[in-house]
Amino acid sequence: MSHLTAIAFQDKHQAGRVLDSLRQFEKDKLVELDEVVVLVRDEDGTLRRMHGLDETLPQIGSTATGVGLGLLVGALASLPIVGMAAGGLLANRFMSRKQLARRIRQFNDAIEPGMSALFVVGKAANAEELLSQLQPFLVGATFLQTNLPDELLSNLSESVQTSVTTLDGTALKRVKVIINPASGVERPILRPLNRILKEAPFTWDIALTQRSGDAQRMAAHAALDGYDVVMIYGGDGAVMEAASGLTGTGVPLAIIPGGTGNVMSIELGIENNIETAAALLTRDEIPVRDIDMGEVGEHRFALRVATGYEARYVKETTRESKERLGKLAYALTAIKQDLELVRYKLVIDGEEVETEGYTCMVANSGNIGIAGLPLLSRISISDGLLDLVIVQNLNYLSLLRHNVSADEAAERNKMVRHWQAREVTVTTEPSETLIGDGEVWGETPFTAKVLPGAVRVIVP
């Protein structure tokens, strides 16, 4: 007999991301999905169904009178489907949809504003293998109900503790705030920042960047000077620099989005609001997530490096157009670029591969700047691996923007090639522009290496 497994996420987009992963794993014969439901509770308290059980939505959305947060097993990353595999039983439809809706309603109170939840009935072919594949995507999640064996649950708990920890907010003494005044969005920062931090128990001081590399240098010096936290206000380039300066120091990074894309903030669920982002530092218990970094020569990246079509249009997009048009500036520049196939010579963890495509990306994060819409569902910022993606059909990027599953689009149309590795070398002939986290870094060839768990970042 199969069982219902339910899991809640602090990020309201994360349940959808995990479902994308499960769908891919189903294609790989790792899992069989019998019934899946994804719910999201908006900040205003509205509970929405994102997937599954169309006809029973009113039953799910009604106010729960049953179990609340007291029933949660604990703050663990979890494996929604593994519990269904205990004993090797085949997954049967053990309850009607109306029965399933009533069971889900029991956990309404556990889905708080800004959270999402995943409810799964199914079967895993290999529980341990599926656990290994899903673990990076489930950091910070909480079991509502599971049949996961105690041994696997214990091992999972131990592994998660190395990814997410907490700071004692009342113990913070000094915070360095680094501001990039040339960030992509022009808006006042000091007054809203002061409104939130003036009553904080710590002291804070400000440093302004003037040129490329300042944020990295300032963050590194702050760590050496004994600051408890470094806060960065700026776009993805400034965030990357600050993270680079803190790599290996153990000093957490707080992010206030201030750029055009703010992809890293979207990846980590940080709201694009100065006061909300700053307020993350004022909590008694502050969650901190360990994230990987990539390294290319003397440069480090948190999101991705790219060459080919993407690098060309990023290079040609002017600061003036970004300030005037925001994200639209990239799109308008992109349509002016010539579409040229590039021949890529790759060395992937020592294995040589040759292929062609329009864009080559070595990604640490799968986020493309649209919440809940990853480049590929398997890409994780905390899995200790880099993801090499060759886009071979530019329609792939268009499909992403029309809510078509990235993995489904790639599978159906063979639009991308994808590898995971710890070290990748990319060579082109002739040389192509290389960008890292939105900044021009030079030209190919380049070698990218992963730095697992290199930086600690404060998250919601």
Side-chain angles (χ1 to χ4, degrees):
M1 180 179 179
S2 58
H3 301 273
L4 169 67
T5 291
I7 181 171
F9 301 88
Q10 295 299 317
D11 184 334
K12 72 178 187 177
H13 304 292
Q14 191 64 9
R17 295 184 186 124
V18 174
L19 175 56
D20 283 343
S21 297
L22 287 174
R23 284 172 168 164
Q24 181 60 48
F25 296 147
E26 187 172 35
K27 294 175 183 176
D28 296 339
K29 308 301 183 184
L30 279 177
V31 64
E32 294 178 13
L33 303 179
D34 189 22
E35 198 75 73
V36 182
V37 179
V38 172
L39 299 181
V40 171
R41 193 178 295 279
D42 293 330
E43 282 72 10
D44 63 3
T46 302
L47 189 65
R48 296 183 291 120
R49 176 196 55 81
M50 304 303 293
H51 180 85
L53 295 185
D54 294 7
E55 68 273 27
T56 54
L57 176 60
Q59 298 180 44
I60 297 173
S62 59
T63 302
T65 58
V67 192
L69 285 173
L71 280 185
L72 303 189
V73 175
L76 303 170
S78 62
L79 182 62
I81 199 68
V82 168
M84 276 47 113
L89 298 175
L90 292 177
N92 300 311
R93 293 182 180 264
F94 72 107
M95 57 176 69
S96 70
R97 287 193 163 194
K98 288 185 178 180
Q99 289 174 323
L100 179 57
R102 285 196 295 270
R103 294 284 293 277
I104 292 173
R105 192 178 70 175
Q106 291 179 323
F107 299 109
N108 274 8
D109 288 346
I111 310 171
E112 298 180 345
M115 292 177 63
S116 60
L118 178 67
F119 301 85
V120 183
V121 178
K123 166 196 170 184
N126 184 320
E128 292 189 8
E129 172 65 15
L130 190 57
L131 171 61
S132 175
Q133 294 286 343
L134 278 175
Q135 179 181 314
F137 306 103
L138 302 170
V139 172
T142 305
F143 278 118
L144 303 178
Q145 178 174 318
T146 186
N147 193 37
L148 189 66
D150 291 341
E151 182 178 354
L152 284 179
L153 184 61
S154 176
N155 292 339
L156 183 57
S157 175
E158 292 177 3
S159 65
V160 169
Q161 290 174 4
T162 64
S163 299
V164 176
T165 55
T166 58
L167 292 178
D168 180 358
T170 63
L172 297 183
K173 301 300 181 185
R174 301 169 66 208
V175 173
K176 171 66 76 175
V177 180
I178 301 172
I179 295 175
N180 176 17
S183 62
V185 177
E186 186 174 346
R187 58 180 175 176
I189 172 68
L190 295 182
R191 182 167 293 178
L193 195 62
N194 184 64
R195 274 198 297 268
I196 297 301
L197 299 185
K198 64 181 179 180
E199 302 297 334
F202 51 79
T203 61
W204 54 286
D205 56 84
I206 291 174
L208 299 178
T209 64
Q210 298 181 43
R211 60 185 66 84
S212 176
D214 280 356
Q216 179 175 349
R217 176 180 55 81
M218 292 171 177
H221 284 174
L224 289 174
D225 289 342
Y227 281 85
D228 299 302
V229 172
V230 171
M231 176 181 285
I232 179 71
Y233 170 79
D236 289 315
V239 170
M240 176 273 296
E241 284 193 14
S244 191
L246 295 178
T247 296
T249 68
V251 175
L253 178 67
I255 300 172
I256 301 181
T260 304
N262 301 314
V263 180
M264 176 57 77
S265 300
I266 294 172
E267 169 74 28
L268 298 173
I270 300 170
E271 290 191 31
N272 188 14
N273 178 281
I274 293 173
E275 295 188 13
T276 302
L280 297 179
L281 266 187
T282 64
R283 297 168 293 178
D284 290 341
E285 295 291 333
I286 304 174
V288 180
R289 180 175 176 182
D290 296 339
I291 68 169
D292 305 329
M293 291 283 285
E295 185 175 66
V296 175
E298 296 181 353
H299 296 286
R300 295 186 182 124
F301 62 95
L303 297 171
R304 65 180 183 267
V305 293
T307 185
Y309 176 71
E310 180 184 9
R312 288 195 294 272
Y313 76 70
V314 169
K315 180 181 179 181
E316 296 301 321
T317 303
T318 65
R319 182 175 297 279
E320 179 186 5
S321 65
K322 288 190 288 185
E323 291 176 350
R324 183 165 48 90
L325 300 172
K327 294 181 181 180
L328 181 60
Y330 290 116
L332 293 178
T333 306
I335 62 177
K336 300 176 183 178
Q337 300 301 307
D338 293 332
L339 304 181
E340 300 176 0
L341 279 172
V342 178
R343 189 71 184 174
Y344 294 103
K345 295 182 179 180
L346 313 170
V347 181
I348 306 168
D349 281 344
E351 180 182 352
E352 296 183 2
V353 175
E354 290 195 26
T355 188
E356 62 181 15
Y358 292 99
T359 288
C360 170
M361 292 173 277
V362 180
N364 184 44
S365 160
N367 207 293
I368 62 172
I370 304 175
L373 199 56
L375 182 66
L376 285 171
S377 67
R378 290 194 183 191
I379 301 177
S380 168
I381 202 169
S382 301
D383 63 356
L385 295 170
L386 296 174
D387 291 78
L388 174 61
V389 179
I390 305 289
V391 178
Q392 298 181 315
N393 186 326
L394 289 178
N395 286 333
Y396 172 75
L397 299 179
S398 298
L399 288 173
L400 286 179
R401 296 182 180 273
H402 289 85
N403 294 324
V404 175
S405 163
D407 293 326
E408 290 177 352
E411 175 67 22
R412 184 176 67 246
N413 299 296
K414 306 298 182 185
M415 294 180 171
V416 300
R417 295 192 69 183
H418 175 223
W419 300 263
Q420 289 187 311
R422 292 177 173 80
E423 181 174 321
V424 175
T425 297
V426 178
T427 303
T428 64
E429 185 63 44
S431 294
E432 290 278 337
T433 297
L434 172 67
I435 60 171
D437 284 353
E439 303 293 327
V440 177
W441 280 0
E443 296 183 337
T444 58
F446 69 92
T447 297
K449 303 176 182 179
V450 68
L451 305 174
V455 180
R456 307 175 72 203
V457 182
I458 292 171
V459 294

